[in-house]
Amino acid sequence: MVLSSTIRGSLHSKHRMISHPMVVVDVPDADPKNTSRECSVCGHINKGNRKNQAEFHCQKCGHNENADINASKNMSSRGICQLSRRPLSC
């Protein structure tokens, strides 16, 4: 489970109240810059990739997806790169 530092403290408190084992992975917060404009398939960043608030369409490779899903994939990739201590281009 990958958690932001804000949520981590709350979960530690709740964990003390229950007897179920829980593993929390400490992950530095990923930089969200351009995640809504970046294609999760090819990495192309362009303001025009966002057709509107809800739709993402990559101008380079043609990838179409819900904008929030696309941005969350980019954030997830950035978090994984930080876990493995590789640069963002990993």
Side-chain angles (χ1 to χ4, degrees), residues 56-77:
F56 180 90
H57 176 77
C58 181
Q59 302 296 303
K60 185 175 180 181
C61 74
H63 173 67
N64 284 300
E65 187 164 35
N66 174 279
D68 289 338
I69 300 293
N70 183 73
S72 67
K73 288 178 180 178
N74 292 329
M75 285 298 293
S76 177
S77 294

Side-chain angles (χ1 to χ4, degrees), residues 28-75:
D29 293 332
D31 182 6
K33 184 178 180 181
N34 288 321
T35 54
S36 64
R37 298 175 177 183
E38 179 181 351
C39 178
S40 61
V41 174
C42 73
H44 178 68
I45 298 173
N46 187 311
K47 185 177 181 179
N49 286 346
R50 290 294 296 272
K51 295 172 72 174
N52 56 47
Q53 183 66 26
E55 297 177 70
F56 180 90
H57 176 77
C58 181
Q59 302 296 303
K60 185 175 180 181
C61 74
H63 173 67
N64 284 300
E65 187 164 35
N66 174 279
D68 289 338
I69 300 293
N70 183 73
S72 67
K73 288 178 180 178
N74 292 329
M75 285 298 293

Side-chain angles (χ1 to χ4, degrees), residues 73-87:
K73 288 178 180 178
N74 292 329
M75 285 298 293
S76 177
S77 294
R78 291 178 186 193
I80 290 168
C81 288
Q82 287 183 6
L83 273 176
S84 62
R85 303 192 195 294
R86 297 181 191 168

